DNA sequence: TCATTTAGGAAATGTTCATTTTCTAAATAA
DNA sequence: TTATTTAGAAAATGAACATTTCCTAAATGA
């Protein structure tokens, strides 16, 4: 933990790597991997293309770092939201709210890096496509576990199929991120209430 | 209706335009607009790039024709599936089956042109982005009308909100097409039965 | 027959892209 | 001070891309 205070050799970075990655993230999220050009990334990151290559090796590696950071940021934000909640049902409802909010307004139009990469995965190499695929499958497992937890604590009907229900909820949230690209989703509270019917 | 039997001037086409569009459709569906290169389209369509430009003006125009044809083909297939069914509830269930099947196996991995174009819409010009957006919004209206029909014929609970429910079902199917890019969705019959709980 | 029209395609063109090279700047280590 | 290391960026490079040009082929109309 904590930044290393050890002086590093050579000329020090003039820019903040994490800030640069955050700016690149916006470009990759709104435009996708292929349509995000180095010159576009260069403008957004406030670095010349030469500096990008010196710091991040190439576009592909920059994307991997951005993608990893995206998963990390989203994971942290989600964990913070779910932390105070105890029952499986409450956690599932809050998880839905998290996705509904992400699919709304400016954030919705920016889009999801996982959804974007999954949709264009056939235009990416095996490794990049694998990152997207695994992120989707990890989400499925995460939902499945929330449902099972709810069934154990009695907040979710024991008769529903966790795997199938996880698939449906996963589709729902993936679809929210698609829809958020072009339009708003109606009232979040009402939406959550109705989606929770899937658990009855 | 019917092909015009009038002889056209000049050398006749050696290829079938619709067949060529179908081949181009596969490329645009699997790779997306930006990643689909002319040389890739050229190979798939069995035409040199020069011939593509002579017949379809440019990549953008080819895409518009492919997109229009995609909507037309999907619309026809869906109408045929729904035609024999009378109640709103039955039609909605069959509509879900249609999307579940489209999101499965090879067809699922090929992906949906509407979902793909919507996700990369910020990398397209206004007009192309508008095509994707309107296709999504038309789907929402279509679902909304099926729900209202079901409420009128008594097959769907009159108390549910058609607009909200349409949004949720739309997200579900958009998400299916994303998920279909990387994995299979469990048992269709069980999935439909559970999704229909949203209408209770 | 021959002028006209359109198709097909090889090769050329110009642009945009990702990437590298080259040089200068700014730090540390000795 | 000086050698070494790394950063930053302008300019050069080469590849891939969309698009056009140019020539030949194959049809119709007069």
């Amino acid at each position: 933990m904590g930044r290393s205070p050890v002086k590093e050799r050579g000329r020090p970075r003039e820019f903040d790597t994490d800030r640069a990655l955050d700016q690149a993230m916006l470009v990759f999220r709104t435009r996708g991997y292929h349509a995000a050009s180095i010159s576009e990334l260069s403008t957004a990151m406030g670095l010349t293309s030469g500096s990008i290559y010196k710091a991040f090796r190439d576009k592909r590696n920059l994307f991997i770092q951005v993608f990893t950071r995206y998963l990390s940021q989203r994971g942290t934000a989600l964990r913070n939201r779910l932390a105070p909640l105890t029952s499986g049902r409450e956690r599932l409802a809050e998880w839905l709210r998290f996705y509904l909010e992400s699919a709304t307004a400016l954030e919705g139009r920016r889009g999801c890096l996982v959804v974007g990469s999954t949709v264009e995965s056939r235009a990416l190499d095996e490794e990049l496509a694998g990152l997207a695929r695994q992120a989707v499958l990890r989400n499925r497992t995460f939902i499945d576990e929330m449902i099972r937890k709810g069934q154990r604590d009695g907040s979710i009907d024991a008769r529903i199929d966790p795997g199938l229900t996880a698939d449906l909820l996963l589709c729902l949230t993936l679809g929210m991120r698609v829809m958020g690209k072009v339009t708003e989703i109606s009232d979040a509270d009402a939406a959550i209430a109705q989606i929770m019917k899937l658990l009855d």
Side-chain angles (χ1 to χ4, degrees), chain A:
Chain A
M1 309 277 169
R3 307 264 170 257
S4 163
V6 210
K7 295 273 187 169
E8 310 223 340
R9 301 218 288 197
R11 178 175 168 178
R13 283 263 158 82
E14 289 177 7
F15 67 93
D16 184 287
T17 304
D18 287 344
R19 255 181 229 284
L21 286 175
D22 285 339
Q23 293 308 113
M25 196 184 291
L26 292 178
V27 178
F28 281 126
R29 283 178 60 191
T30 53
R31 313 257 312 165
Y33 181 80
H34 271 92
S37 70
I38 296 292
S39 84
E40 220 176 341
L41 290 162
S42 166
T43 304
M45 299 167 81
L47 298 172
T48 62
S49 58
S51 300
I52 292 178
Y53 277 82
K54 174 148 287 188
F56 303 102
R57 188 158 72 241
D58 57 18
K59 180 181 172 180
R60 185 176 177 283
N61 191 263
L62 172 62
F63 180 79
I64 292 175
Q65 290 196 50
V66 164
F67 192 90
T68 305
R69 183 167 169 82
Y70 179 77
L71 292 186
S72 158
Q73 287 178 348
R74 296 275 303 169
T76 300
L78 179 58
R79 270 189 298 277
N80 289 340
R81 291 276 291 261
L82 299 187
L85 303 171
T86 48
S87 82
R89 173 174 284 264
E90 281 173 320
R91 289 168 69 86
L92 212 42
E94 190 61 25
W95 172 82
L96 282 170
R97 186 176 302 279
F98 180 73
Y99 272 89
L100 274 165
E101 287 172 9
S102 310
T104 301
L106 179 61
E107 195 61 8
R109 247 143 279 138
R110 280 174 177 158
C112 170
L113 208 45
V114 173
V115 168
S117 313
T118 300
V119 169
E120 70 173 331
S121 62
R122 298 261 147 179
L124 304 175
D125 63 55
E126 290 277 344
E127 190 188 339
L128 295 190
L131 287 179
R133 181 170 202 272
Q134 288 180 349
V136 169
L137 299 183
R138 264 197 306 275
N139 278 347
R140 174 155 68 173
T141 302
F142 182 76
I143 305 165
D144 186 271
E145 282 166 358
M146 269 194 297
I147 295 171
R148 288 177 194 276
K149 174 179 164 55
Q151 290 179 320
R152 267 183 270 114
D153 68 29
S155 62
I156 294 174
D157 193 314
R159 289 167 303 183
I160 69 157
D161 179 339
L164 174 61
T165 310
D167 277 357
L168 298 183
L169 292 173
L170 178 58
C171 285
L172 211 34
T173 47
L174 291 172
M176 284 175 191
R177 301 309 298 268
V178 176
M179 201 170 155
K181 272 277 181 175
V182 295
T183 185
E184 299 298 321
I185 303 169
S186 3
D187 178 40
D189 289 315
I192 292 169
Q194 190 153 352
I195 296 167
M196 296 301 281
K197 286 187 186 177
L198 289 173
L199 305 176
D200 295 337

